[in-house]
Amino acid sequence: MLDIRDLSLDFGKRTLFQNVNLTLLLSERYGIVGPNGAGKSTLLRILANEETPSHGSVEKAKTTSIGILKQDHFHYEHNRVIDAVIRGKAELWSALLEKEKLLEKPVLTEEDGYRLGHLEEVIAHHDGYSAEIAAEHLLLGLGIDTKYHQGPLSALSGGYKLRVLLAQVLFQNPDIMLLDEPTNHLDITSIDWLEDFLKYEFKGLLIFVSHDRHFLNNLSTHILDIDYATVTEYTGNYDRFQVIKEERLQQRQRAIQGKEKQIEALQSFVDRFGAKASKARQAASKAKMIERIEEDMPDAKASAITKPHFNFSPKKPSGKLVLKADNISKQFDERILLHNASFSLNRGEKYAIIGPNGIGKSTLLKILLDQLSPNNGRYEWHENAEIGYFEQDYRAHLPGNQSLLHWMENHIRAPEQVIRKALGQMLFRGNDVNKKISVLSGGECARLVLASIILKQPNVLVFDEPTNHLDLESVDALADALKNFKGSVLFVSHNRFFIDQVATRILAITEKGARNYLGNYHDYLSQYGKDYLMK
């Protein structure tokens, strides 16, 4: 277990949390939640002893091992993918390398023989003779095809390299596992597999940060909430946490209001009779009562949680039939990404495009937006369709040297006052608008791009993974806004909660073609299960 004692963390003049005392138990699964900038990732690094807190300590038994998901794939670029996973067990990897060198000798000395025997014991202790099989199981579960396992890590894209690092920490099988946004870069299949692995196969203490509500609900036995400048533990999953936190907030507000009324009544007596000699003793007594009540007053700190306000409103309506796509196919060399994708998008419909990574979801969006040409098929937009596009790699197109306000003024035709209001709704207030884009977090950049789309007032929204870097509150707000949007929405997402909240139709891309379904993701799975993901 982990013992957290009097833990405090200051960031400049700001206190993220203070006087935190918790005991985290083995075999439990703790989801860490809180708004962007609350210190969730920093708390993980403190628990891993990779960062020093401002005050306090984290204690564990000396024999307890900790594994943390790191984004340092550059250390393994020239390793075989399978070896990068096995290196998660450093002692095993070292023994395997030393054994290999010994066996390369033409003649073994007696000392070499003893050493070889010791190495065999180390390898056996770490299940080294089944290591490749175990590593392959993890890689396949995370969606990395067998054909890549023996090749170098450098052959994979950035998202798949991070999957290998996730496999590495899972292979390590530590007593305590720390995961920071493990579902990023995973498709729905791999997220589902990871949930089952962590729930049923990993037996240690799991502490993780996630903005995926479905993942938090399915996995968490406890929630650690970073808010009110502290970390509070709640038993249960995320939905239960929300209910209990709201109940506690209402209780605290009622208690504060009750104390304030008491103070007001007592203060009225003191003000009225404090100067009268006959009532002086009573007034002094009531003044002391006020002091005692103020000392016992419940904490009135404000929550750090704030929600952006997304208000997508079309300038003019589109036609009834917004888009018709017929038999769209796309092939790169010999690789077929899309095969005969057909669907119609009507005004007011919200289409979720789902499927495993690499199946062609983003490619389909780029074809429909004239950024790529299909090999076969055709599509046609209604002449009144005005599109607002949120692309997956939006950050690559934001100039880091510009301020938020400058970029918006160059990007949007609108008065400065209107732009400032839109930025304020995205939580960029006051001098925040003069920040350089280069200092923004991923979630802040996403809100900036969404602000520009709001001001363009399109009647069709085409979004590619819009929730990737948004916190839970922002995901909720965006889902509500899209549900209320009077236009049409076509979006790619692996966030199951978000899909369920927004989608009125599902377009599942498979290797055999596209499956069109009326309803949300929950309805889709109730009919088809997970077969669209099976290869």
Side-chain angles (χ1 to χ4, degrees):
M1 66 182 181
L2 277 182
D3 274 327
I4 300 171
R5 294 287 171 258
D6 297 322
L7 199 69
S8 298
L9 179 64
D10 299 324
F11 187 76
K13 295 182 179 179
R14 180 184 168 208
T15 297
L16 296 181
F17 47 81
Q18 59 185 351
N19 303 327
V20 177
N21 290 278
L22 296 169
T23 298
L24 307 185
L25 303 175
L26 290 176
S27 80
E28 302 292 358
R29 301 184 297 272
Y30 297 83
I32 302 178
V33 301
N36 284 340
K40 301 185 293 294
S41 298
T42 307
L43 177 58
L44 277 186
R45 291 194 295 274
I46 289 172
L47 297 182
N49 200 29
E50 293 187 349
E51 190 155 329
T52 304
S54 304
H55 185 266
S57 63
V58 177
E59 299 173 6
K60 66 175 181 65
K62 289 183 179 180
T63 57
T64 301
S65 60
I66 292 183
I68 183 169
L69 176 60
K70 299 179 181 179
Q71 298 191 13
D72 57 349
H73 57 78
F74 49 87
H75 286 306
Y76 313 102
E77 288 287 294
H78 303 298
N79 285 144
R80 288 189 310 162
V81 168
I82 201 86
D83 290 340
V85 176
I86 295 173
R87 288 184 67 169
K89 292 184 179 180
E91 190 176 7
L92 170 62
W93 178 250
S94 178
L96 289 170
L97 287 182
E98 188 177 349
K99 176 186 173 182
E100 185 178 341
K101 288 182 179 178
L102 281 175
L103 293 178
E104 287 174 356
K105 287 185 173 185
V107 178
L108 292 177
T109 65
E110 184 177 353
E111 184 180 349
D112 290 337
Y114 283 123
R115 183 60 183 167
L116 195 58
H118 172 72
L119 293 174
E120 294 284 5
E121 290 178 2
V122 173
I123 292 169
H125 175 73
H126 291 287
D127 299 320
Y129 298 107
S130 60
E132 288 208 7
I133 295 172
E136 285 180 357
H137 168 71
L138 295 171
L139 290 168
L140 289 171
L142 292 171
I144 301 174
D145 197 273
T146 306
K147 64 184 178 182
Y148 297 109
H149 295 183
Q150 301 301 323
L153 184 66
S154 58
L156 299 180
S157 66
Y160 278 91
K161 288 175 183 176
L162 294 177
R163 292 185 187 212
V164 174
L165 296 185
L166 178 55
Q168 185 187 78
V169 72
L170 296 178
F171 178 80
Q172 183 182 340
N173 195 29
D175 300 309
I176 300 171
M177 190 180 297
L178 308 174
L179 301 178
D180 193 356
E181 292 290 356
T183 62
N184 276 1
H185 306 287
L186 297 185
D187 55 29
I188 292 174
T189 326
S190 302
I191 293 171
D192 189 71
W193 176 89
L194 180 62
E195 276 179 10
D196 286 347
F197 183 91
L198 293 173
K199 197 170 185 177
Y200 301 115
E201 295 191 42
F202 178 65
K203 305 302 182 184
L205 165 59
L206 174 65
I207 308 169
F208 67 100
V209 173
S210 180
H211 292 151
D212 184 328
R213 182 194 295 260
H214 202 290
F215 190 75
L216 280 162
N217 272 333
N218 285 353
L219 200 55
S220 301
T221 59
H222 300 74
I223 296 293
L224 301 179
D225 178 38
I226 305 181
D227 198 10
Y228 300 104
T230 190
V231 182
T232 306
E233 180 183 345
Y234 294 81
T235 300
N237 65 9
Y238 184 77
D239 283 348
R240 177 171 171 77
F241 145 73
Q242 282 196 305
V243 171
I244 296 173
K245 183 176 181 179
E246 180 62 28
E247 288 175 352
R248 290 182 182 178
L249 175 61
Q250 292 177 1
Q251 289 172 358
R252 183 163 59 243
Q253 288 173 337
R254 287 195 294 269
I256 290 172
Q257 290 170 358
K259 299 288 186 182
E260 286 175 342
K261 286 182 179 179
Q262 282 183 275
I263 290 172
E264 185 179 350
L266 292 168
Q267 190 63 50
S268 176
F269 184 92
V270 172
D271 293 342
R272 186 176 178 185
F273 298 110
K276 291 188 177 182
S278 59
K279 301 281 187 177
R281 290 184 63 185
Q282 286 180 272
S285 175
K286 293 186 184 300
K288 288 183 179 180
M289 288 176 64
I290 291 173
E291 290 178 5
R292 287 195 294 271
I293 292 170
E294 287 177 339
E295 288 175 0
D296 294 335
M297 182 80 79
D299 192 355
K301 289 178 181 176
S303 171
I305 294 175
T306 54
K307 278 189 178 182
H309 176 60
F310 302 104
N311 56 334
F312 301 100
S313 179
K315 186 183 297 183
K316 60 181 181 181
S318 64
K320 184 176 180 180
L321 178 60
V322 179
L323 168 67
K324 185 170 179 58
D326 291 315
N327 297 317
I328 293 178
S329 299
K330 183 63 179 177
Q331 183 172 339
F332 291 97
D333 298 324
E334 296 182 358
R335 184 185 177 200
I336 298 173
L337 275 186
L338 282 170
H339 181 66
N340 294 337
S342 299
F343 69 100
S344 296
L345 176 66
N346 295 312
R347 183 172 60 229
E349 285 186 325
K350 280 90 177 184
Y351 255 102
I353 303 175
I354 64 174
N357 278 352
I359 202 72
K361 302 182 300 296
S362 297
T363 298
L364 176 59
L365 294 187
K366 290 178 180 178
I367 288 172
L368 297 174
L369 295 171
D370 295 327
Q371 295 182 8
L372 287 174
S373 299
N375 293 101
N376 296 296
R378 61 186 298 274
Y379 60 92
E380 184 177 359
W381 291 93
H382 189 276
E383 60 183 5
N384 290 336
E386 295 183 355
I387 301 169
Y389 177 42
F390 183 98
E391 57 186 314
Q392 192 177 130
D393 57 346
Y394 59 89
R395 191 159 191 173
H397 304 289
L398 291 173
N401 61 340
Q402 289 186 16
S403 69
L404 281 67
L405 183 60
H406 185 200
W407 181 79
M408 287 285 282
E409 287 175 334
N410 288 340
H411 205 62
I412 301 295
R413 291 183 180 179
E416 181 179 328
Q417 186 177 359
V418 172
I419 291 175
R420 283 181 175 271
K421 181 181 178 182
L423 289 172
Q425 291 175 335
M426 297 299 107
L427 308 180
F428 301 115
R429 299 180 178 123
N431 289 329
D432 287 346
V433 302
N434 296 317
K435 284 182 178 178
K436 297 292 185 184
I437 292 175
S438 59
V439 305
L440 300 183
S441 67
E444 288 172 327
C445 285
R447 297 201 306 268
L448 175 62
V449 173
L450 290 168
S452 72
I453 294 173
I454 287 171
L455 290 181
K456 290 177 180 176
Q457 295 184 281
N459 50 37
V460 181
L461 299 175
V462 178
F463 285 0
D464 194 355
E465 293 285 5
T467 67
N468 262 0
H469 297 284
L470 297 180
D471 59 23
L472 286 158
E473 291 71 34
S474 298
V475 172
D476 288 350
L478 182 59
D480 288 341
L482 295 185
K483 280 191 293 186
N484 296 324
F485 179 55
K486 302 301 182 185
S488 307
V489 183
L490 188 63
F491 69 101
V492 172
S493 180
H494 295 299
N495 187 314
R496 292 159 293 180
F497 169 82
F498 185 73
I499 295 171
D500 258 347
Q501 291 295 303
V502 176
T504 61
R505 298 194 73 101
I506 300 292
L507 185 70
I509 307 295
T510 74
E511 291 182 339
K512 296 181 179 179
R515 179 184 290 147
N516 201 321
Y517 181 80
L518 178 62
N520 64 15
Y521 183 63
H522 179 79
D523 299 329
Y524 177 88
L525 283 187
S526 67
Q527 179 163 341
Y528 291 104
K530 301 171 187 175
D531 64 342
Y532 80 95
L533 298 169
M534 299 303 178
K535 294 189 178 180

